[in-house]
Amino acid sequence: MKRIAIYPGSFDPITNGHIDIAKRACQLFDEVVLAVAQNRSKNPLFSVEERMKLVSESTTDLAKNHTIRVESFDGLLIHYAEQMNAKAIVRGLRAVSDFEFEFQLALMNRKLNSSIETIFLMPSEQYTYLSSSILKEVSRLEGKISDLAPPCVENALKEKYAH
Ligand code: ADP
């Protein structure tokens, strides 16, 4: 049986921090599904199609040696994970500030389905302060983001903020 993990997120847009976590997940599972949450209530900057495209483009190298799928989902994450036959849900932990919300989410998901584990992975130190929101803010104010996101994301942000 293939060990499938879901790595869900808004990915609005994907950053080097997300890619770091995806790489680590690929070392542990046979297949990693990067699941882009529609999250209409969060008012994303990029449409779900744009976010999926950026996730795919940013993971082409990783996809050469690992089985990766980029999908979108709506509704309850645990239902989506069941539908995908996933063994685990992968989440990234940056600082203590992520912990409380992630802990709550993981325990709720366990209550809904105890056979799907949530696995927390820590990114490389240089990405512990990085979030999609801060990336957008720096880009909007024309700061340098080339160390924080792949070139396709950098260009997509420039284009968004040019309008
Ligand atoms: P969500 O809206 O689900 O939090 P995000 O796209 O912001 O979606 O994040 C998806 C997951 O990736 C979360 O588990 C988040 O903690 C993690 N993550 C986001 N940025 C980083 C980063 N720089 N390093 C490690 N994990 C991260």
Side-chain angles (χ1 to χ4, degrees):
M1 264 267 282
K2 260 199 308 188
R3 286 171 171 276
I4 301 171
I6 309 281
Y7 178 27
S10 309
F11 301 109
D12 184 40
I14 187 166
T15 70
N16 285 350
H18 292 125
I19 298 167
D20 179 296
I21 298 295
K23 281 185 184 159
R24 291 173 199 278
C26 282
Q27 303 294 329
L28 301 172
F29 294 92
D30 301 317
E31 182 174 330
V32 174
V33 181
L34 289 138
V36 181
Q38 304 251 6
N39 268 347
R40 290 183 197 90
S41 60
K42 274 198 175 174
N43 248 328
L45 177 67
F46 292 98
S47 70
V48 74
E49 292 77 20
E50 288 171 324
R51 285 180 275 148
M52 285 173 73
K53 188 165 173 277
L54 291 174
V55 171
S56 298
E57 282 180 37
S58 307
T59 52
T60 41
D61 271 354
L62 192 58
K64 285 180 189 153
N65 301 309
H66 299 278
T67 310
I68 291 181
R69 275 162 71 175
V70 180
E71 298 221 346
S72 70
F73 76 101
D74 211 0
L76 256 188
L77 171 62
I78 202 77
H79 290 162
Y80 175 69
E82 284 164 1
Q83 194 189 314
M84 299 299 288
N85 274 324
K87 277 283 220 204
I89 292 168
V90 169
R91 295 286 289 174
L93 270 191
R94 285 160 290 189
V96 194
S97 50
D98 278 339
F99 183 78
E100 197 168 347
F101 173 71
E102 293 292 343
F103 188 70
Q104 210 177 16
L105 193 68
L107 289 184
M108 179 51 76
N109 283 332
R110 177 179 284 168
K111 196 172 162 58
L112 296 170
N113 184 333
S114 59
S115 65
I116 300 179
E117 286 294 345
T118 299
I119 313 252
F120 294 105
L121 297 173
M122 279 177 296
S124 167
E125 264 167 40
Q126 79 240 49
Y127 303 131
T128 50
Y129 61 90
L130 178 58
S131 67
S132 298
S133 331
I134 205 133
L135 185 80
K136 284 183 275 193
E137 193 60 8
V138 175
S139 171
R140 190 174 67 81
L141 300 170
E142 297 176 11
K144 178 174 166 280
I145 59 163
S146 50
D147 295 346
L148 308 175
C152 60
V153 170
E154 201 181 344
N155 293 335
L157 279 168
K158 270 191 196 144
E159 208 169 294
K160 275 273 175 208
Y161 290 126
H163 298 303

